[in-house]
Amino acid sequence: GAGVSQSPSNKVTEKGKDVELRCDPISGHTALYWYRQSLGQGLEFLIYFQGNSAPDKSGLPSDRFSAERTGGSVSTLTIQRTQQEDSAVYLCASSLRVSGRINEQFFGPGTRLTVL
Amino acid sequence: LAKTTQPISMDSYEGQEVNITCSHNNIATNDYITWYQQFPSQGPRFIIQGYKTKVTNEVASLFIPADRKSSTLSLPRVSLSDTAVYYCLVGDRRNNDMRFGAGTRLTVKP
C-alpha cells in the first residue's frame, strides 16, 4: 500500500511569504506528526494529532506556525511570514494506535523548505 | 518524559559488530525503548522496540539491562549501507514519544 506522502518535495520562498506544506498519511492511521530537521541536526517535534483529540502543539516554535488535520486524514502545516531560520526539511509521520501494538511511526520523504 | 543520551558519532568497519548505547536514567515504568534509523535525505525508519531483556529481529538486537536505565542497539556485521543516524526514543507505548534528539551518526568504512 501507499506510504506517507508529502507535497511539495521542495519549496523555495521569499522571506515574509506564507507557505503551506501538505501531508497525506497512511490510510487508517489515526496519529499524525510533524517534525522539522535542520541540516545535520536531529528531528525537532512540532505538533501531534491523535484522532479527534486536541492536538499537542507543544513543539511549535512560534505563533507563525500552525497545522490542521481535516477529516482525520490529510494535514497541512502553515508557516506565516517565513524567516530564513525556517529553512529546513519538514517531515510528516503517521502511526496506527492499536491497543497492545507497537506504535511504529512511518515517515514521509519530507518537504525541503528554503527561505531566501 | 525520559531524556536520552547517545554518543554523537561512531565509526566502524565493514563486517564488524556495532553496539550503540543509549542512556535513559529516568525511564518510567510504562516506557518502551524504540530505535529508528535515518539515511541521508530520507525520513527515519523504525528498527526495533523493546521493554526489557533482549529483543531480536532480522535487522538488529536490542539489549536492555534489568534496571532499564540504558539500552544497547547491536548491529551484526555492518556494511557500508548501514551508514546512517540512529535515534533512541523512550516513551509510553500508548503515546509515542516524539523526542528524537540528535541521534548517533554511524559511519561504516570499507
Side-chain angles (χ1 to χ4, degrees):
Chain A
V4 177
S5 61
Q6 293 185 244
S7 60
S9 56
N10 282 283
K11 176 70 176 179
V12 180
T13 190
E14 294 180 346
K15 177 182 175 181
K17 300 283 189 182
D18 297 352
V19 295
E20 286 189 351
L21 312 179
R22 177 187 169 106
C23 172
D24 284 85
I26 293 173
S27 178
H29 278 194
T30 56
L32 187 146
Y33 315 76
W34 282 99
Y35 298 88
R36 176 170 71 174
Q37 187 169 37
S38 300
L39 187 63
Q41 303 299 309
L43 275 73
E44 176 188 4
F45 164 70
L46 297 177
I47 189 168
Y48 163 62
F49 296 89
Q50 172 53 48
N52 295 321
S53 302
D56 177 353
K57 304 179 181 179
S58 60
L60 294 178
S62 77
D63 58 9
R64 296 187 296 105
F65 289 72
S66 63
E68 63 177 20
R69 188 178 185 193
T70 54
S73 181
V74 173
S75 177
T76 302
L77 176 69
T78 301
I79 308 173
Q80 295 179 311
R81 304 181 302 282
T82 53
Q83 304 294 314
Q84 290 183 330
E85 59 264 29
D86 298 335
S87 297
V89 175
Y90 289 80
L91 291 159
C92 175
S94 69
S95 72
L96 178 63
R97 281 190 58 187
V98 177
S99 177
R101 292 279 301 277
I102 293 174
N103 297 321
E104 173 184 351
Q105 294 183 50
F106 295 84
F107 282 80
T111 294
R112 181 175 299 277
L113 174 66
T114 303
V115 182
L116 301 176
Chain B
L1 293 168
K3 179 178 177 179
T4 59
T5 303
Q6 305 174 235
I8 294 175
S9 64
M10 295 181 67
D11 289 343
S12 184
Y13 291 91
E14 283 190 292
Q16 290 188 335
E17 177 184 79
V18 171
N19 295 309
I20 305 174
T21 296
C22 178
S23 297
H24 28 81
N25 291 321
N26 59 338
I27 188 170
T29 302
N30 293 330
D31 286 345
Y32 280 72
I33 301 154
T34 310
W35 286 80
Y36 283 80
Q37 173 190 56
Q38 185 179 26
F39 296 116
S41 301
Q42 295 184 25
R45 181 183 70 145
F46 173 92
I47 301 177
I48 198 167
Q49 183 180 90
Y51 184 81
K52 62 180 180 180
T53 63
K54 176 184 176 182
V55 179
T56 298
N57 61 23
E58 65 278 7
V59 176
S61 294
L62 179 59
F63 297 92
I64 306 168
D67 66 5
R68 305 201 325 123
K69 293 184 183 298
S70 67
S71 58
T72 299
L73 175 72
S74 181
L75 305 172
R77 298 179 298 282
V78 293
S79 64
L80 297 177
S81 62
D82 291 316
T83 292
V85 178
Y86 293 83
Y87 297 95
C88 165
L89 281 76
V90 172
D92 190 311
R93 165 180 273 187
R94 294 169 299 172
N95 297 294
N96 294 292
D97 188 78
M98 288 75 79
R99 279 110 185 131
F100 275 73
T104 296
R105 185 173 300 275
L106 173 66
T107 302
V108 180
K109 302 176 181 179

